[in-house]
Amino acid sequence: MNPKILLIYTGGTIGMTKLAHKEILQPFNFDSLLKKIPELKLLQCEIETISFEPPIDSSNIGPNHWIHLAELIESHYETHQGFVVLHGSDTMSYSASALSFMLENLNKPVIFTGSQLPIGDLRTDAKENLITAIQLASLQQNNIPIIKEVGLYFEYKLFRGNRTTKINADHFNAFASNNYAPLVTSGVELQVQYNLLLKKNPNKEIKVWKNLNTNVVLIKLFPGIQSTTIASILEAPNLKGVVLETYGSGNATTSNWFLKLIKQAISKGIYIVNTTQCSGGMVQMGKYETSQYLQELGVISCRDMTTEAAITKMMFLLGTNKLKNFRFAYQTSLRGELTEN
Ligand code: ASP
């Protein structure tokens, strides 16, 4: 029997059109989008579609939309074999990361995709991205889905969603996953790297987590950042967690004022995690003196997680309220988002 795929359209360039007499791109209705790809009828699967009303530019995506997506997947989980989420590329890596954490024990594919040019454009990348994303969501062996995780498909590569970052606003090749190789490469055939896929216990039921704590902040360090700036951020009401984007392998200034502020925040119960500004590689606190102090103060390592995974994992863990284990859980690979020792 052909697999049944749920195609969820959230918006994004893929379904945008230019307003009459203007150059501004705005999302348009999903049925018009589907009419532009008659090829979908040729795929070996049954496609059901749901659209956000109204479809949105992904700059407007937030945790409530992630919860809505998780609920849509949950309510169609038994009846569908795979899911494709059409999403703007700007925040797609955040959404794919968030959903990866929210969908525990996922045993089916959830593939995010979108495009750099609208589907109606002559040179569009939308058709290939959408058609292959649906094929990936339909891939099965003995009626069991091959991909059992949240992926992101763009320009001939399927990545683990929570390992991706948008790296280019112009190129079709808009995403990178510098710390984890592609799960599938699309050439003449779909080349699946079976050894890289997440393996799931089929006997475990899916658990959908819907609480996200958004009292978090991302601070990107730069030479010259002011103590008053950091102090005022750390005094934000209800702040629970900070993702600190540091230099290189997790290094930061050793100025007294900085270390004092970090110490004060941690003593107030704020979790501070350390991720690197580098697009590849790993945080190794203690490698240099400039990271050893952070380690001693109780800053938690993000290891080789992306910033997108770091911030959404923090919202997820703070939202689950299992705070006794926060440090351990944060440094553990929950959905393949980081490389453990
Ligand atoms: N601004 C668009 C969005 O993220 C860009 C895209 O779709 O690629 O919704």
Side-chain angles (χ1 to χ4, degrees), residues 165 167 177-179 276-281:
T165 302
I167 47 146
S177 165
N178 284 329
N179 288 333
T276 173
Q277 296 177 13
C278 295
S279 50

Side-chain angles (χ1 to χ4, degrees), residues 239-276:
L239 186 67
K240 292 283 178 300
V242 178
V243 176
L244 200 59
E245 257 202 16
T246 58
Y247 312 119
S249 53
N251 308 315
T253 172
T254 52
S255 307
N256 279 339
W257 65 262
F258 178 72
L259 297 174
K260 204 170 137 202
L261 287 175
I262 297 291
K263 192 173 172 186
Q264 272 170 5
I266 291 175
S267 67
K268 277 198 289 183
I270 295 173
Y271 294 98
I272 303 191
V273 301
N274 184 353
T275 188
T276 173

Side-chain angles (χ1 to χ4, degrees), residues 78-95:
E78 289 312 321
T79 48
H80 291 69
Q81 283 69 51
F83 302 85
V84 173
V85 181
L86 284 177
H87 192 291
S89 62
D90 289 349
T91 60
M92 197 188 292
S93 294
Y94 290 91
S95 296

Side-chain angles (χ1 to χ4, degrees), residues 11-14 16 56-59 87-91 115-116 166:
T13 298
I14 192 161
M16 289 190 185
I56 51 174
D57 186 296
S58 77
S59 303
H87 192 291
S89 62
D90 289 349
T91 60
S115 65
Q116 291 282 63
K166 185 171 180 183

